[in-house]
Amino acid sequence: GSVVAYLLVEQYNHRVQRCAPAEGGACTTVAGGHGSGRAKNQLNDPRGVALEQAADGSVVAYLVLDYGNNRVQRCAPAEGGVCTTVAGGNGEGSAANQL
């Protein structure tokens, strides 16, 4: 199949972008983008992203490794989507609720 979009993790801009595959394609912020922080719409040093997809292939959510906050965020696909913590978020460590 053809490429529909690229997902780019912008570590130092604290956001995840969904970009059109065409040269000079426009990008949309799908997570973070509101500066570094711990709020539901902020990331701190994101390092990776995975997709949660429905059976028809549509994106249900973006799962973002929010490295600087020691958590994994599940973010709605809307631009600048509000995120919820699905793992970690309780500081660095080896306890069951930490990353």
Side-chain angles (χ1 to χ4, degrees), residues 35-55:
S36 176
R38 296 188 54 81
K40 290 183 177 188
N41 66 349
Q42 292 180 306
L43 300 171
N44 179 11
D45 194 14
R47 298 280 180 97
V49 63
L51 294 177
E52 179 182 335
Q53 294 180 295

Side-chain angles (χ1 to χ4, degrees), residues 1-7 19-22:
S2 61
V3 174
V4 175
Y6 295 104
L7 288 177
C19 302

